[in-house]
Amino acid sequence: MTATADTSPTGLRGRVEHVVRHGPGGPFRERSWRSPLRGPWLTSVLALVLLVGLLVLIVTGLLSYAAYDPRLGGSNEQTPGRGALAFFLFTWPTSPAWLYRVNQGTHVLLGIALVPVVLAKLWSVAPKLFEWPPVASPAKALERLSILLIVGSILLLMVTGVMNVQYDYAWGFSFYTGHFYAAWVFIAAFAAHVGLKLPVMVRSLRSRSFVAEMRVSTKDTVAEPRDADHLVSPDPLPATMSRRGALAVVGGGSLGLLALSVGQSVDPLRPTALLSPRGQSYGDGPNDFQVNTTFGETRIEPAETGSAWRLTLVGPSGTVVLRRDELLSMAMVSEELPIACVEGWSTSQRWTGVRLRELAALVGGADEESVFVESLQKGGAFSTHTLSGRQVRAARTLLALKVNGVDLSLDHGFPARIIVPAAPGVRNTKWVRTLVFGGSA
Amino acid sequence: MSSRFARRYGAHPGHLVVLLLCFALTGFTVWRLSVEADLPVMVRIGVWFVAVAVVWDLVLGPLLALADRLLRPLARVGALNHVRVPAMASALLLLVWAPAVLQRSEGQFRTKAGLGQDVFLGRWLTITAVLFAVSALLYGVGRLRARRPA
């Protein structure tokens, strides 16, 4: 840029007019986008995968939210502002016992596996970001705003999800808050995007046969015919990869991520989850399985878990205080039940203890609609928690004293912990000290 | 009537209805968030919301495109995809598992799970080495076959 051109009004005006008409150059020049693979067909293949996959993520995500029974308040309610966004809530069931394990394993594993598909989809439509003019009409302006919402929300969901399962809380807000509200922005923008683009996707998918396209070699790969949305390069380079190759790279990325993660949710495959934080083994003793809050983190004095420990039951007919040996002399039952974390990992173990409903009966609380569980934990978001009446009455809900035939370890909640079938792991309060039947936060 | 609307707006009325519903639900969501979150939290969520899109679209995306352009000369010896594919796979694994591989959350992981993160960098490097080795092997086999007359 020279000084004379800048100071001359006609030069400046001419320049501005040129930029307004033709764009500032660089990526704003359509001809700078040269991949021969970009085009409506490839974008639509990725879109179809995402349409199905993201619907599953939305459903499993909303179910996971319901699994906390947020209406019980306290630590069950991690997003108190939810209002009508939680219109779908229902009392979470207690069977089948694998319900939350499968729901959350699907949510997290599928979410991870869709990362390369989302990134490939963004790559495939990247020229649209630099479209010139940026807003050709009010319709375009609004649509671009909705695209910002869909891109920002899906990337935020991916980033918070992937970081949360690795204990990296660098955002300065609660995972629950960020993930829940971003999910609703995503649902809004995703629904609109599908509503507006579904016909284009169907038309583009029909423009060529998938099977035939999978037989085209790199040498024979040429750009799709120019399209109304300007995805296809006007000046494509020769292909260095076929569309089959590109889809194989994306699909291979998804399958690779899946293969390296599935072990966190399937006990016998655990050693294969090489990069997942929950792939690591604790050893092979009866208490050597995944921990999500160690005893050391709770600031409980070790003496509080010793002979001085008492379980206090409070109910309509009064209060009962029990020593651990008194609990052990009650009717013991054993149940094989999973612990399944919101982070997607899970593990199934054999727990032994007293049925929660029998403890409820001791204080006349068997028909109450909740039980408020207090832990010895000092502070911590889940040191108190509420279970529903349905969970209290479920035959398989235990106050567990042992696991795999031995006493619980301190890390797994000694002297006693809750085990509820089908519920998120964090609802299985450890180091229980008080059960208030009919109580809540 | 409808065609005059389409000329002014740039699309059919249904387009506007769909987008207004989208913005209405988004607005409702932001309002509900504001009921429970204070301003600093809302700002942080907003910043992350925009930052992730900007970082991908304007930083990581262009950098990856540039790296890909730098690899292009490899096409002349038929090695482009033999470098590009394992590099993409390795980068994808790092992108997803960066907090573990880079030991960003060692402290949290130690107190919550009772485990360390020191194994992950070695595992990621090993997987990367295996991916490149397999790719190089396939390249070598391909070259040998091409040289040998059929």
Side-chain angles (χ1 to χ4, degrees):
Chain A
M1 222 187 259
T2 64
T4 48
D6 252 5
T7 47
S8 140
T10 52
L12 181 62
R13 191 188 300 156
R15 200 165 281 235
V16 169
E17 272 172 13
H18 184 268
V19 166
V20 167
R21 195 165 304 153
H22 302 285
F28 293 94
R29 274 172 52 240
E30 212 185 334
R31 302 189 87 77
S32 69
W33 297 91
R34 305 202 57 192
S35 169
L37 296 191
R38 274 200 191 90
W41 183 81
L42 188 68
T43 294
S44 298
V45 172
L46 297 168
L48 181 61
V49 174
L50 289 176
L51 175 60
V52 176
L54 293 172
L55 278 174
V56 175
L57 282 188
I58 289 172
V59 171
T60 51
L62 294 177
L63 287 177
S64 177
Y65 182 75
Y68 282 72
D69 285 317
R71 291 176 297 180
L72 293 171
S75 67
N76 301 60
E77 176 65 281
Q78 291 290 324
T79 51
R82 60 187 163 82
L85 296 176
F87 68 91
F88 59 91
L89 288 181
F90 52 94
T91 302
W92 189 249
T94 53
S95 75
W98 45 260
L99 183 63
Y100 191 73
R101 179 180 210 186
V102 168
N103 183 81
Q104 204 55 17
T106 304
H107 186 75
V108 173
L109 290 176
L110 182 61
I112 289 173
L114 286 181
V115 168
V117 187
V118 169
L119 298 184
K121 175 76 161 54
L122 291 178
W123 171 85
S124 81
V125 295
K128 305 273 288 171
L129 181 64
F130 298 96
E131 221 172 9
W132 200 268
V135 279
S137 66
K140 263 270 157 23
L142 292 182
E143 198 167 328
R144 295 200 79 172
L145 183 59
S146 78
I147 296 296
L148 170 67
L149 293 180
I150 202 170
V151 174
S153 60
I154 196 166
L155 290 179
L156 186 59
L157 287 166
M158 268 168 37
V159 166
T160 50
V162 159
M163 285 171 75
N164 188 60
V165 305
Q166 296 172 80
Y167 304 79
D168 188 347
Y169 312 117
W171 328 290
F173 49 83
S174 141
F175 166 74
Y176 291 102
T177 312
H179 211 68
F180 178 77
Y181 290 100
W184 273 105
V185 174
F186 175 72
I187 289 169
F190 176 68
H193 192 62
V194 172
L196 296 179
K197 293 294 191 185
L198 195 66
V200 181
M201 184 189 85
V202 173
R203 207 182 318 127
S204 306
L205 286 174
R206 285 192 179 146
S207 71
R208 54 182 65 200
S209 147
F210 183 86
V211 177
E213 187 61 40
M214 291 302 101
R215 296 202 184 106
V216 177
S217 67
T218 302
K219 181 163 62 64
D220 296 328
T221 298
V222 292
E224 292 179 49
R226 297 299 309 278
D227 62 319
D229 287 321
H230 298 277
L231 288 178
V232 179
S233 169
D235 183 22
L237 289 166
T240 56
M241 187 180 272
S242 62
R243 290 188 184 81
R244 173 185 61 197
L247 290 177
V249 167
V250 177
S254 289
L255 289 179
L257 284 169
L258 195 60
L260 283 174
S261 309
V262 70
Q264 70 170 2
S265 308
V266 182
D267 287 307
L269 298 179
R270 186 139 342 248
T272 66
L274 288 175
L275 294 175
S276 149
R278 292 334 193 117
Q280 291 188 73
S281 168
Y282 286 76
D284 58 2
N287 268 290
D288 288 333
F289 56 92
Q290 275 54 37
V291 178
N292 211 5
T293 302
T294 58
F295 182 72
E297 196 198 350
T298 62
R299 289 179 287 131
I300 301 171
E301 295 295 329
E304 296 176 80
T305 64
S307 56
W309 179 79
R310 296 288 182 275
L311 175 71
T312 305
L313 306 173
V314 181
S317 68
T319 298
V320 171
V321 179
L322 295 167
R323 295 191 312 269
R324 194 164 190 274
D325 58 311
E326 289 172 313
L327 282 166
L328 282 165
S329 69
M330 292 177 69
M332 286 284 124
V333 288
S334 291
E335 296 284 356
E336 174 92 20
L337 288 172
I339 288 198
C341 186
V342 68
E343 294 154 11
W345 61 268
S346 55
T347 179
S348 189
Q349 306 294 336
R350 190 154 188 84
W351 310 91
T352 303
V354 187
R355 286 197 174 103
L356 196 61
R357 63 184 188 194
E358 301 202 0
L359 293 173
L362 292 180
V363 288
D367 296 323
E368 294 298 323
E369 278 316 310
S370 67
V371 60
F372 184 61
V373 184
E374 292 177 81
S375 169
L376 293 168
Q377 276 172 272
K378 314 279 189 287
F382 286 88
S383 57
T384 61
H385 194 73
T386 308
L387 300 178
S388 67
R390 192 170 182 173
Q391 289 168 324
V392 174
R393 285 185 285 278
R396 302 182 76 190
T397 302
L398 304 183
L399 182 75
L401 305 169
K402 297 169 173 241
V403 65
N404 299 320
V406 302
D407 274 343
L408 294 168
S409 68
L410 279 175
D411 279 342
H412 285 302
F414 183 88
R417 75 171 302 172
I418 297 284
I419 287 292
V420 188
V426 78
R427 304 194 64 185
N428 301 307
T429 308
K430 301 196 274 191
W431 312 289
V432 173
R433 85 183 146 87
T434 311
L435 297 170
V436 183
F437 293 93
S440 61
Chain B
M1 180 65 196
S2 149
S3 73
R4 194 202 292 171
F5 175 88
R7 259 202 315 282
R8 283 198 169 174
Y9 173 65
H12 58 90
H15 184 276
L16 180 60
V17 172
V18 166
L19 287 177
L20 288 181
L21 286 173
C22 163
F23 298 137
L25 180 50
T26 301
F28 183 76
T29 302
V30 174
W31 173 54
R32 294 317 306 178
L33 170 65
S34 75
V35 169
E36 73 174 66
D38 55 15
L39 191 63
V41 165
M42 293 194 62
V43 169
R44 279 196 286 267
I45 294 179
V47 166
W48 271 83
F49 191 100
V50 175
V52 286
V54 168
V55 165
W56 177 258
D57 281 333
L58 302 181
V59 182
L60 281 181
L63 279 178
L64 291 173
L66 180 68
D68 194 59
R69 207 157 281 191
L70 294 177
L71 290 178
R72 266 192 170 264
L74 290 167
R76 266 179 267 144
V77 289
L80 177 58
N81 289 336
H82 287 280
V83 174
R84 177 149 80 169
V85 172
M88 278 197 276
S90 171
L92 176 66
L93 291 179
L94 180 61
L95 188 70
V96 170
W97 298 117
V101 170
L102 304 178
Q103 286 182 260
R104 278 183 45 84
S105 41
E106 174 78 22
Q108 283 283 352
F109 199 49
R110 186 70 69 183
T111 53
K112 290 187 87 68
L115 294 169
Q117 292 182 316
D118 44 348
V119 296
F120 295 117
L121 178 60
R123 286 180 182 178
W124 175 69
L125 288 172
T126 307
I127 293 169
T128 300
V130 169
L131 287 169
F132 274 100
V134 169
S135 186
L137 194 69
L138 292 174
Y139 176 71
V141 169
R143 296 293 279 192
L144 280 179
R145 274 208 194 140
R147 205 172 293 173
R148 200 174 298 159

